[in-house]
């Protein structure tokens, strides 16, 4: 018996009580288990090698598990919570849900923890395929994500919203689009314009400008999009912070609970304050709904209810969040009759 088999026998003896296996049985079971679990051979291949039926192989492998000769561990990186991720995906009908550990209380007061962006960057590396068109909306989380990108297949990258402040474009969404395009080796289509304009006429004039119009032409071609979510309070929603006190009070009176890409939602996921969109440089909600994969990146207890509202809107298909927000969404918030994959508009 070699050292691996001796270790397996030791592990078995330390487990729950079982009938004693003879040395020949132990050797055979260890060999079959090695072929199946480590070498990836099928039960039929193992049966042919040992001259037994595949049903015999199945019984031996089952016995090896029952008697702790084989122990299976499912491991994910420590910062990922697989159980919450799967529960969240199932509860909201999401295509993908990834939950990361929240920072220890008091250690990170940021409304957009950088680790969400890092995990979202890895997720995009999985979701984006060669030839896709990747859309990035303005948001701290998407900016963190773009900074963390280290792999993307060749794809076109387009900006889905204007910038929070045109004077900071180089440090915001324009730079995020450039960074993603640099990593992928594809074309970049940034938008050099503020997100919010003084009036609809100014916004319409900017949309007709050549560079911005070219970016808008790509909106219907976007296959994967990354967006951020904000709750309607200072420092948590970019749009909230750009408005006057009077405008904030007006939209609050309409029941706004969440904001995403300059679109406002009440707690049921219905869009409110649609007139605001007429003043904004942003992807339209109907276009966003037609994008096959829309990944929302948001976490923290202060954003939890807003995340739930946006999930009810049917505009997103996947979510990267943290344990604090996930616990609220799993235990204190009702998804509603239409899961995210339905993509249905709650206003219709």
């Amino acid at each position: 018996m070699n050292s691996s088999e001796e270790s397996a026998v030791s592990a078995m003896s330390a487990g729950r009580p079982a009938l004693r296996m003879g040395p020949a049985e132990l050797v055979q079971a260890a060999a079959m288990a090695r072929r199946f679990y480590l070498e990836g051979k099928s039960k039929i291949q193992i049966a042919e090698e040992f001259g037994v039926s595949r049903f015999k192989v199945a019984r031996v492998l089952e016995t090896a598990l029952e008697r702790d000769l084989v122990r299976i561990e499912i491991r994910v990186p420590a910062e990922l919570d697989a159980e919450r991720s799967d529960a969240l995906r199932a509860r909201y009908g999401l295509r993908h849900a990834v939950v990361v550990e929240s920072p220890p209380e008091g250690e990170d007061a940021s409304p957009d923890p950088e680790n969400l962006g890092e995990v979202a960057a890895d997720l995009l590396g999985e979701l984006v395929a060669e030839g896709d068109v990747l859309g990035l909306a303005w948001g701290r989380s998407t900016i963190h994500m773009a900074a963390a990108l280290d792999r993307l297949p060749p794809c076109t990258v387009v900006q889905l919203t204007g910038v929070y402040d045109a004077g900071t474009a180089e440090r915001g969404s324009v730079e995020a689009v450039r960074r993603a395009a640099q990593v992928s080796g594809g074309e970049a289509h940034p938008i050099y314009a503020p997100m919010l304009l003084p009036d609809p006429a100014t916004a319409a004039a900017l949309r007709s400008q050549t560079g911005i119009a070219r970016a808008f032409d790509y909106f219907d071609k976007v296959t994967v999009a990354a967006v951020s979510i904000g709750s309607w309070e200072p420092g948590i929603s970019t749009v909230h912070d750009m408005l006057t006190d009077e405008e904030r009070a007006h939209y609050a009176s309409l029941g706004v609970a969440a904001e995403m890409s300059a679109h406002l939602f009440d707690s049921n996921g219905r869009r409110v304050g649609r007139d605001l969109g007429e003043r904004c440089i942003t992807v339209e909600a109907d276009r966003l709904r037609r994008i096959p994969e829309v990944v929302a990146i948001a976490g923290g207890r202060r954003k939890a209810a807003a995340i739930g509202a946006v999930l009810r809107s049917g505009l997103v298909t996947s979510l990267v969040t943290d344990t604090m927000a996930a616990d609220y969404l799993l235990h204190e918030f009702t998804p509603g009759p239409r899961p995210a994959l339905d993509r249905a508009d709650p206003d219709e």
Side-chain angles (χ1 to χ4, degrees), residues 193-206:
M195 181 188 294
L196 181 66
L197 282 303
D199 54 69
T202 304
L206 276 178

Side-chain angles (χ1 to χ4, degrees), residues 2-332:
N2 63 30
S3 59
S4 297
E5 290 157 356
E6 289 172 356
S7 298
V9 174
S10 175
M12 182 195 71
S13 64
R16 51 185 178 276
L19 294 174
R20 190 180 187 85
M21 295 177 71
E25 291 178 300
L26 284 170
V27 169
Q28 185 183 66
M32 288 184 176
R34 186 180 299 108
R35 303 291 193 280
F36 186 73
Y37 291 107
L38 299 183
E39 299 175 12
K41 292 187 175 180
S42 69
K43 293 174 184 176
I44 293 177
Q45 290 174 314
I46 297 170
E48 291 175 352
E49 178 182 348
F50 286 86
V52 298
S53 71
R54 62 185 176 88
F55 302 105
K56 166 72 172 177
V57 173
R59 286 196 299 273
V60 170
L61 293 175
E62 184 178 351
T63 300
L65 282 172
E66 290 175 349
R67 301 189 180 185
D68 284 343
L69 185 63
V70 172
R71 294 180 179 179
I72 298 176
E73 291 184 343
I74 301 174
R75 292 184 176 182
V76 296
E79 69 271 14
L80 298 184
D81 192 310
E83 185 175 349
R84 284 185 176 92
S85 298
D86 188 57
L88 199 61
R89 178 200 56 77
R91 182 171 174 80
Y92 287 86
L94 292 161
R95 187 171 290 126
H96 303 283
V98 182
V99 178
V100 304
E101 287 291 336
S102 299
E105 190 170 353
E107 188 169 295
D108 186 355
S110 169
D112 300 282
E114 291 193 19
N115 62 335
L116 292 185
E118 294 167 0
V119 172
D122 286 340
L123 179 61
L124 278 194
E126 292 183 62
L127 299 181
V128 176
E130 184 173 351
D132 274 349
V133 177
L134 171 62
L136 300 181
W138 196 98
R140 299 180 189 90
S141 296
T142 51
I143 291 171
H144 291 159
M145 179 205 68
L149 282 171
D150 60 10
R151 63 185 176 101
L152 272 181
C155 65
T156 299
V157 186
V158 60
Q159 194 169 322
L160 296 178
T161 64
V163 298
Y164 173 44
D165 180 350
T168 62
E170 293 299 318
R171 302 190 300 276
S173 46
V174 170
E175 181 56 32
V177 168
R178 286 176 173 168
R179 165 67 182 166
Q182 180 183 31
V183 172
S184 73
E187 294 182 3
H189 294 276
I191 294 177
Y192 295 96
M195 181 188 294
L196 181 66
L197 282 303
D199 54 69
T202 304
L206 276 178
R207 291 190 203 104
S208 67
Q209 288 188 358
T210 303
I212 297 174
R214 187 181 299 116
F216 269 64
D217 287 342
Y218 271 94
F219 287 177
D220 288 328
K221 303 173 186 177
V222 174
T223 50
V224 181
V227 300
S228 296
I229 296 173
S231 56
W232 199 244
E233 57 180 299
I236 309 296
S237 165
T238 300
V239 172
H240 177 282
D241 293 347
M242 287 191 288
L243 297 173
T244 65
D245 290 341
E246 184 179 355
E247 290 170 328
R248 292 169 190 158
H250 165 67
Y251 291 118
S253 72
L254 301 179
V256 60
E259 175 263 317
M260 181 180 70
S261 302
H263 299 295
L264 309 181
F265 306 87
D266 66 14
S267 59
N268 292 315
R270 299 181 184 276
R271 289 181 59 211
V272 296
R274 298 189 182 211
D275 61 303
L276 180 65
E278 298 175 4
R279 297 169 49 195
C280 292
I281 303 296
T282 185
V283 59
E284 301 94 327
D286 290 341
R287 277 176 154 176
L288 196 60
R289 197 182 305 278
R290 292 195 294 268
I291 296 174
E293 181 76 79
V294 179
V295 181
I297 311 163
R301 183 62 180 83
R302 294 173 67 186
K303 283 191 176 183
I307 296 169
V310 172
L311 291 181
R312 282 179 170 175
S313 75
L315 286 173
V316 304
T317 60
S318 298
L319 175 67
V320 177
T321 190
D322 63 1
T323 52
M324 194 171 295
D327 285 343
Y328 175 87
L329 293 169
L330 289 170
H331 306 297
E332 301 180 47

